[in-house]
């Protein structure tokens, strides 16, 4: 298996996990906080998608999918390209109001399609390219791709857990 196939295998698992976490939930359930200040299913899936969109767009030196079309409107938010949810307060978490589970699925699938196209062209030599010098040591493409996958997997697991709490109700 080459590096492109390996990364594609990891990232291709996410769309089904995202769909399983949100499909069939009402807008109210997507916004349900299982405890004071807790993250909602909707926020968790929005956040993991925003992180992937933000980071992959940066790698491509392209606009984020978030800034095209009416994605922000479908979540009750303004178009803020730097807002990925990192460091959100409880009030900011509550302000992420997806209109439906389908809005989350559609946004994630649009981001995943672009990520998949990008990964198809990644070779072994690409992984050592420095993509962010703002860290010590500087972040390479390989580290960034693993970091995004890890963040997404962690948050989709959290979303599935919160969904289970909602369904156990």
């Amino acid at each position: 298996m080459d590096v492109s196939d390996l990364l594609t295998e990891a990232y291709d698992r996410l769309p089904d996990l995202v769909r399983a976490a949100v499909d069939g939930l009402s807008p109210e359930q997507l916004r349900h906080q299982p405890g004071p200040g807790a993250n909602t299913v909707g926020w968790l899936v929005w956040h993991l998608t925003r992180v992937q969109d933000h980071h992959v767009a940066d790698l491509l030196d392209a606009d984020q999918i978030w800034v095209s079309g009416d994605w922000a409107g479908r979540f009750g938010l303004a178009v803020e390209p730097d807002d990925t949810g990192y460091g959100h307060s409880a009030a900011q978490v509550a302000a992420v109001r997806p209109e439906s589970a389908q809005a989350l699925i559609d946004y994630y699938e649009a981001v995943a399609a672009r990520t998949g196209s990008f990964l198809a062209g990644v070779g072994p030599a690409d992984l050592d390219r420095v993509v962010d010098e703002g860290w010590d040591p500087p972040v390479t493409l390989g580290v960034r791709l693993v970091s995004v996958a890890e963040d997404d997997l962690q948050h989709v697991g959290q979303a599935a857990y919160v969904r289970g709490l909602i369904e156990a109700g």
Side-chain angles (χ1 to χ4, degrees):
M1 179 179 276
D2 69 20
V3 68
S4 176
D5 292 342
L6 179 65
L7 290 166
T8 298
E9 177 66 27
Y11 277 84
D12 276 357
R13 293 173 184 226
L14 285 160
D16 288 341
L17 295 172
V18 164
R19 196 172 301 102
V22 303
D23 197 29
L25 293 180
S26 70
E28 294 75 25
Q29 289 172 315
L30 292 169
R31 296 188 298 261
H32 172 76
Q33 291 180 290
N39 293 330
T40 66
V41 170
W43 183 88
L44 287 160
V45 173
W46 170 83
H47 168 65
L48 72 87
T49 309
R50 288 293 300 122
V51 167
Q52 188 177 144
D53 189 11
H54 179 276
H55 286 12
V56 172
D58 186 54
L59 296 172
L60 292 167
D61 194 27
D63 286 338
Q64 298 169 33
I65 290 170
W66 181 251
V67 302
S68 64
D70 187 33
W71 293 112
R74 293 180 74 186
F75 291 84
L77 299 169
V79 177
E80 297 288 342
D82 291 329
D83 183 10
T84 63
Y86 182 76
H88 265 190
S89 67
Q92 289 170 306
V93 168
V96 176
R97 302 177 63 81
E99 67 185 19
S100 65
Q102 195 61 50
L104 289 158
I105 292 167
D106 291 348
Y107 179 41
Y108 186 80
E109 287 181 349
V111 170
R114 180 162 70 175
T115 299
S117 294
F118 174 72
L119 293 175
V122 172
D126 298 320
L127 298 178
D128 291 328
R129 177 173 59 91
V130 172
V131 297
D132 187 347
E133 294 192 19
W135 298 91
D136 185 21
V139 177
T140 63
L141 176 62
V143 168
R144 176 60 45 89
L145 291 172
V146 168
S147 176
V148 170
E150 179 271 334
D151 186 72
D152 283 4
L153 288 165
Q154 175 174 265
H155 289 311
V156 79
Q158 292 168 342
Y161 178 78
V162 174
R163 180 191 180 113
L165 293 174
I166 291 166
E167 290 175 338

